[in-house]
Amino acid sequence: MNEHPVTLHVMDDLRRSRLTVFFRYLLYIPHGIWLELWGIAVLVVALLNWLVALVIGRPAAPFQRFTAAYLRYWTTVYAYLMLVANPFPGFTGEPGSYPVELVVPTTPEKQNRLKTFFRMFLLLPTAVVLYVVLIPAMLICYPLLSFAWWAAMITGRMPRGFRDLGANAIRYTAQVEAYALLITGRYPCSSPYAGMSFEAPVAAEAPAAPSKA
Amino acid sequence: MTKSSRRLLGLLIFGALASGWIWAARALWQTSVPANLKLPHVDMSAFVSSSELHRAQHFSFVLDLFGLAGLFLPLVVLALYAKWGHRFMGESAAGPIGTGMLLAMLGLAILWMAMLPSNLGELWWLRHYGIEKTGYAEMVIGTWSALGAEFLGICLTILIVMGFARLLGNYWWLAGAPVFVGIALLVTFVQPYMSGLQPLENHSALVQAEKRLAKTEGVGNIPLKVENVGTQTTAPNAEAMGLGPSRRIGIWSTMLDGRFSERELEFVIAHELGHHKHKDLWKGIGWYALFAFPIAFLIAQLTRRRGGMAMPLAVPLFLFAWVGLSTVTLPIDNAFSRRIEAAADWEALQATRDPQAGKALFVSFVRTTNEDPNPPAWDPILFGNHPTAAQRIAMVEAWQKRYGG
């Protein structure tokens, strides 16, 4: 069942750089700060968008694009932090830039006004699932305290099970956020592997050597 | 405009800038210490026992070895990183600036790992002499966490440098250097609020003395605060902090544990007030600004061979050039610092008119820090941001010769 409009595409090859894994939590810091700042703007936009959706029956297109970009960025940052992916993510949430990518609808869809009005209350059951799914996933995947961190440090590869568990936690949280931010009217799907797609990794381009000139 | 007239114009601009630079450097170099002051030779064996002297020399010699490692190892590590650091570009899916940030952070991370054995050795030595109390694990975790703050700082630096380089090309330094000076100004201003300074309780006599000395030195109301460092070190220290309304004097709790007399503490406070009187923190920013422009210019020239600072490929070389040029200018920075510290000592003598307290304080410093009062000539050039204990005592004696007491 892959019908949820918010889906996670994983094109990761499981290879991990020991150096960046060792310092992963510190390397996350600039992204963490940018995510917080962007998140503040998203909160304001979400409130405005909620009012717009109540009035016109669908979110405003610019707000949708803005929150969708934030959500894509959020996904890459958490994929990096939780060792679900290897490369350092960009800061813009640009589509097609990361091996773990959230596909989010950027065109607003019509949404039921009653469901929009009660959106925060409707989200309460997802909080239970978040605690059940996400916290154990984080305990396993967070650097330093996690098995996955040690496994990646020793073998230079992320065990597939840990990677998929982390990816699922990210996918579900992203669907919850997408629902909360009115990106979609579809309720988050707690079934594992729903809204997930695992694809062959895209070969990375070799970095250019410094010029001698 | 012909080629030769353009060259002439360039030379004229360079000449004017160089003259302005020299004029500003001379102005900052001036201090209130009388230019004709002759420091007498001081025989330290008159103040400390030969065993204390030997202990201080032995301690300082080994500490200098760690200091040399701390100075030159980063150059070696960053030189290697400048050559091979570009290989980590494959670890990034970010754009040019994000990739530049990653390369800069990884450079610092590798440096942290390379420096760890030397830093642990230095800690062992300081613990052996009872100067440091920090545990080894605590130090590793502490420096690892501090690396997070360094990462933030370097990311901001890269954002400024690469951001301007993408806008202005190789002229980024013209806009970048003033921004860095502005950041230095901001950091100096907010430092007192970030240092965990506490009100000075149970030392009302000292607080009164500080008010009296502040009046004598004509610096207005500057709060005296304490910094609790007793769980980490036994080393004594105090510092003048802040600018304008944020001006403070921070005295380490280790100075208030009974090893220093009230008169010695008053001398320390008078010294720190002297820094505020001479506007030494402003001078420090001015000195930083003097070097920020030429260093940024040289980095811009050096990184051109890697495509300029708009390209992440140039970031490893940028790190090496930055640290290398900072190391090259270290002796002159230290000389500048020693001059303003000497002027603050002179101010303390003028304000307290208590040379005996000054002398006793500097002797106490030798006993409590184990620093060699008469180190080899190269030592102050590389590490001396204060005059040596012997030079400070010599200044007290020169003051006594001039004013009595």
Side-chain angles (χ1 to χ4, degrees):
Chain A
M1 204 174 99
N2 222 351
E3 292 158 3
H4 199 283
V6 176
T7 54
L8 191 73
H9 293 250
V10 180
M11 294 155 279
D12 162 62
D13 62 0
L14 300 174
R15 186 192 64 84
R16 297 293 178 266
S17 149
R18 289 184 178 88
L19 181 70
T20 66
V21 168
F22 185 76
F23 290 103
R24 188 63 59 104
Y25 197 75
L26 297 182
L27 293 169
Y28 155 80
I29 291 173
H31 281 295
I33 289 176
W34 180 230
L35 202 59
E36 284 296 316
L37 293 173
W38 197 346
I40 292 167
V42 164
L43 267 182
V44 176
V45 165
L47 187 67
L48 295 173
N49 211 13
W50 182 70
L51 294 171
V52 170
L54 282 177
V55 175
I56 66 170
R58 59 172 175 77
F63 292 164
Q64 175 99 355
R65 284 195 296 273
F66 183 73
T67 45
Y70 166 78
L71 211 51
R72 275 196 303 268
Y73 175 60
W74 179 93
T75 304
T76 62
V77 170
Y78 273 83
Y80 187 63
L81 178 65
M82 294 170 71
L83 307 177
V84 172
N86 188 54
F88 188 73
F91 286 81
T92 54
E94 201 181 317
S97 64
Y98 205 68
V100 174
E101 183 170 316
L102 192 73
V103 176
V104 197
T106 47
T107 315
E109 59 186 39
K110 238 183 144 34
Q111 296 196 27
N112 183 300
R113 284 187 177 82
L114 194 65
K115 282 185 188 170
T116 301
F117 186 76
F118 288 109
R119 186 62 55 101
M120 283 300 121
F121 297 102
L122 291 171
L123 276 165
L124 286 176
T126 65
V128 178
V129 182
L130 271 180
Y131 277 105
V132 173
V133 175
L134 200 63
I135 290 178
M138 281 182 171
L139 282 177
I140 293 166
C141 292
Y142 260 113
L144 289 178
L145 298 172
S146 73
F147 305 115
W149 186 85
W150 284 107
M153 278 301 295
I154 293 164
T155 64
R157 288 180 69 79
M158 181 72 169
R160 180 181 290 275
F162 286 151
R163 195 277 310 269
D164 292 354
L165 181 63
N168 259 302
I170 288 171
R171 188 268 313 160
Y172 183 70
T173 314
Q175 286 183 349
V176 170
E177 287 202 39
Y179 187 65
L181 296 170
L182 306 173
I183 288 172
T184 178
R186 278 288 301 277
Y187 204 70
C189 183
S190 55
S191 162
Y193 298 100
M196 291 282 294
S197 109
F198 294 92
E199 293 161 28
V202 179
E205 264 181 50
S211 133
K212 299 274 182 200
Chain B
M1 195 181 273
T2 63
K3 198 175 174 183
S4 59
S5 56
R6 267 209 310 270
R7 185 172 287 176
L8 186 66
L9 182 68
L11 277 172
L12 280 172
I13 292 170
F14 178 77
L17 287 174
S19 308
W21 194 94
I22 291 166
W23 175 84
R26 274 178 65 92
L28 290 170
W29 196 256
Q30 302 303 318
T31 71
S32 59
V33 179
N36 60 354
L37 190 74
K38 290 271 181 287
L39 296 187
H41 172 73
V42 168
D43 179 10
M44 283 306 295
S45 59
F47 300 99
V48 285
S49 68
S50 60
S51 67
E52 283 173 324
L53 210 53
H54 177 73
R55 182 181 158 89
Q57 283 166 346
H58 181 57
F59 170 79
S60 297
F61 172 72
V62 176
L63 198 63
D64 278 351
L65 294 181
F66 287 117
L68 288 172
L71 210 56
F72 295 111
L73 197 56
L75 291 177
V76 175
V77 172
L78 291 176
L80 295 173
Y81 190 67
K83 190 165 172 55
W84 288 297
H86 68 275
R87 292 179 182 190
F88 292 109
M89 281 173 71
E91 304 296 337
S92 174
I97 296 180
T99 302
M101 286 179 179
L102 176 72
L103 290 181
M105 288 191 286
L106 289 179
L108 294 188
I110 290 168
L111 189 58
W112 176 82
M113 289 196 293
M115 293 300 297
L116 198 57
S118 160
N119 288 339
L120 282 170
E122 188 177 351
L123 178 65
W124 164 76
W125 191 242
L126 290 167
R127 280 171 61 94
H128 183 65
Y129 274 81
I131 305 290
E132 275 291 330
K133 292 178 178 175
T134 314
Y136 297 105
E138 196 184 340
M139 178 264 191
V140 173
I141 294 166
T143 55
W144 192 84
S145 308
L147 196 59
E150 285 180 34
F151 278 10
L152 262 186
I154 197 71
C155 282
L156 183 64
T157 304
I158 292 295
L159 181 65
I160 293 165
V161 170
M162 290 189 73
F164 281 130
R166 294 181 79 77
L167 285 173
L168 308 170
N170 282 322
Y171 292 99
W172 63 264
W173 59 277
L174 279 171
V179 173
F180 288 123
V181 174
I183 291 172
L185 203 65
L186 181 69
V187 168
T188 310
F189 182 80
V190 300
Q191 193 207 356
Y193 306 116
M194 316 289 277
S195 305
L197 295 175
Q198 303 289 323
L200 191 62
E201 286 162 358
N202 307 322
H203 288 88
S204 55
L206 205 57
V207 173
Q208 290 309 314
E210 192 262 348
K211 284 183 178 158
R212 177 173 45 78
L213 288 165
K215 202 172 171 185
T216 308
E217 297 190 37
V219 291
N221 180 31
I222 296 177
L224 176 64
K225 304 272 182 179
V226 65
E227 203 174 336
N228 290 313
V229 294
T231 54
Q232 298 145 36
T233 179
T234 61
N237 197 12
E239 53 188 325
M241 291 185 236
L243 301 168
S246 76
R247 287 184 307 170
R248 302 279 186 281
I249 290 175
I251 191 163
W252 284 16
S253 53
T254 44
M255 290 213 78
L256 306 170
D257 58 9
R259 291 181 295 169
F260 296 89
S261 71
E262 286 289 318
R263 281 169 60 198
E264 287 169 26
L265 291 174
E266 284 182 27
F267 195 90
V268 169
I269 290 165
H271 169 101
E272 302 305 337
L273 287 169
H275 282 309
H276 282 305
K277 181 180 179 180
H278 301 151
K279 302 200 183 307
D280 286 340
L281 286 107
W282 285 103
K283 277 187 181 177
I285 292 164
W287 191 256
Y288 172 75
L290 271 185
F291 286 87
F293 282 90
I295 285 180
F297 169 75
L298 286 173
I299 290 174
Q301 300 312 308
L302 286 169
T303 51
R304 282 175 78 158
R305 56 190 297 201
R306 294 276 176 93
M309 281 311 299
M311 307 299 290
L313 202 59
V315 169
L317 183 59
F318 164 82
L319 285 182
F320 173 64
W322 188 14
V323 173
L325 289 168
S326 302
T327 307
V328 168
T329 57
L330 187 66
I332 195 159
D333 286 343
N334 282 337
F336 175 73
S337 174
R338 285 195 301 273
R339 280 183 71 81
I340 61 173
E341 293 297 339
D345 281 347
W346 188 258
E347 193 62 45
L349 285 163
Q350 296 285 41
T352 59
R353 309 201 80 75
D354 189 358
Q356 298 307 331
K359 226 180 262 185
L361 175 73
F362 299 137
V363 172
S364 298
F365 278 158
V366 174
R367 292 198 175 113
T368 52
T369 64
N370 282 313
E371 273 185 34
D372 187 353
N374 251 329
W378 60 267
D379 178 289
I381 294 170
L382 292 179
F383 305 119
N385 52 18
H386 283 63
T388 65
Q391 287 168 336
R392 298 179 96 170
I393 291 171
M395 175 177 267
V396 174
E397 292 190 347
W399 187 91
Q400 279 179 302
K401 201 172 168 188
R402 201 170 268 229
Y403 298 104

